[in-house]
Amino acid sequence: MCGITGIYAYSPDAEPVDRALLDRMRDTMVHRGPDGGRTWLADDGRIGLAFRRLAIIDLAETAMQPMSNEDGSIRLVFNGEIYNHAAIRRELEEIGGHVWRTDHSDTETIVHAYEEWGIDCVHRFRGMFAFGLWDARRGSLWLVRDRIGIKPLYYTQRDGRLLFASEIKALLQDPRQKRAVHDEAFFHYLSFLTTPAPQTLFDGIKKLPGGCWLRIDADGRMTEHRYWEVWDYTQPLTGVPDAEIAERLLAELRTAVKLRKVSDVPVGVFLSGGIDSSTNAALFSEGENRPVRTFSIGYAGEYQSYQNELHYARQMAKLVNAEHHELLLTQDDLINFLPQMVHLQDEPIADPVCVPVYYVSKLARDNGVIVCQVGEGSDELFCGYPHWKRMLDVQAKADWPWLDLPKMLAMAALRLRKRDHRIAYEYLRRSLAGQPVFWGGAEAFTHTEKLRLLSPRLRRAFAGRTSWEAVEPIYQRFQAKAWEPSALHWMTFVDLNMRLPELLLMRVDKMSMGVSLEGRVPFLDHKFVELALSIPTAVKTRNGVLKSILKQSVRGLIPDELIDRQKQGFGVPVYEWFFDRLGAQARKDLDEFCQQTDFLDPKAVLGHFDRGEGSKVWYLLNFALWWKEYIG
């Protein structure tokens, strides 16, 4: 796990690469790579690559990047891990013709795999990765992001040059990079708590979507290609008994966890006591000759909006004989962390869970662990959220054209118990427009709420537009390729393409790397994802039980008490804290922001305070603090 960056001056009229600038870009990411840094610059000054290292696999100096092939015609900077690199290396050794300089570096495996198979080598990689690869023979720079989008990759193009990096703050080191808000990205941010790829909140800076590569040729031509679409790799398990599916799931997950134990440094597990983290801990402990190290976060005090799960985590830790560590957070921990959180995020990730993710990562790193397994992805693959169950009910009613649609949607929305008529109206509006009612697992404001929140300038700019614009391309891909275009498969697919890569996985990446810790996600191993999306909807929703088939697969591996207990997400008691000092600070910060900028309507912002809507205030506060840090 590392920080990568580079500059390609492809135009003959562009200024040669400034090594001092490249070094500054590199060293904004020391937290991503505290174990050393290096820069390579081509003799003609047209291309430069730089790297910060967090040594995980092959700790020797020979594994340092940027890395080249034998004749220097290929140069690579790579962030991530290729878990099956040893098998690929054996295959390349059998083919022959490759000179190896390292003992077992996965980076060098990428270099020689590209030599052998070209960019199609990405199909052989099982892991998480973002890399920049320079092919001197073709005069082409390749930017590649892993299938799911676990690792970030940002870029900007201007003045005959392309700059890329693992973090936006590296790109901001270029004095010619303007600092301005991308208004359309902000419009979508108010819907999704993050910005959908390829946009970022910075005007002129983009992020590469998961499962895609981008090639920049010597003439400046840019070609983007989606190399992985999950539906191309599913094999429908229609008619297969549930027991067999459950066995296959557990076997594939066991492989995914085993692969993610590959490391030359200590590895641990984030443990909440839920099904996903407990399964990680149980599978990780198999075959180990020393205790697995587990890490849990709770909160000092009792809160109605969030109940500590530490007793469940302790139960699982004891079962696997773990070396268990815990930390209790307070409101002060959140408030004190806010400036650092905003700096690490690069662009707002308006999920308060960033706070406990940072502190549990720090807890692990402070106890000598450099890699941790996390449970992201399971709920999206197997319908693990109670809210999803209710949304399936809403969609089912929306699909009954012979009924009184407005009445049915209103009744279904009332079951959600929150925002009542506002949600009912939003779902009705979507349904009448022929759109699915579910646009993602993390929606902040309805369309009507957004229009009230926007300043008059932005209200005029986005008149007649909605954030369906960001969702529709994903929906078109779904309709074109899904073998079973069910409502549940749509919900999984849209979250695989938006909420997971740009919100949940970025909160893991940015917060864990903020303390120089690598996070690994076994449930998002692409082979496991392909298997999960081969399962019919009826199997996943059997008897109305959340995660029905996954629970069947892990029963006997972890205690029934943990499997059958009520679902509780990894949360933060922001509701109560907004009635305390956090709320007072947020009111002050947002008041100043509204006075200094022209993005939000101050009265609408105040209305969310008056109604005690702490989560919505949090979304706005994140944007305001980001603007102050990076734009203002």
Side-chain angles (χ1 to χ4, degrees), residues 533-558:
L533 280 168
S534 299
I535 301 173
T537 293
V539 175
K540 293 185 181 179
T541 57
R542 188 81 74 201
N543 301 318
V545 177
L546 295 173
K547 286 186 178 175
S548 173
I549 190 64
L550 182 66
K551 290 178 178 178
Q552 184 176 341
S553 70
V554 301
R555 199 171 292 278
L557 178 71
I558 64 176

Side-chain angles (χ1 to χ4, degrees), residues 114 117-123 131 133 142 144 213:
Y114 177 81
W117 300 300
I119 198 60
D120 285 344
C121 65
V122 296
H123 296 290
F131 62 81
L133 186 147
W142 297 87
V144 184
W213 56 249

Side-chain angles (χ1 to χ4, degrees), residues 24-25 67 71 77 135 144 146 162 190-191 268 273 300-301 304 310-311 315 342 397-398 423 536 538 590 603 626:
R24 290 199 305 274
M25 293 169 64
M67 187 175 288
D71 62 7
V77 281
D135 185 337
V144 184
D146 65 69
L162 182 134
L190 291 176
S191 286
Q304 183 177 355
L310 291 176
H311 56 292
Q315 178 183 349
V342 173
K397 289 176 171 56
I423 286 184
L590 280 167
K603 291 184 179 178
W626 167 81

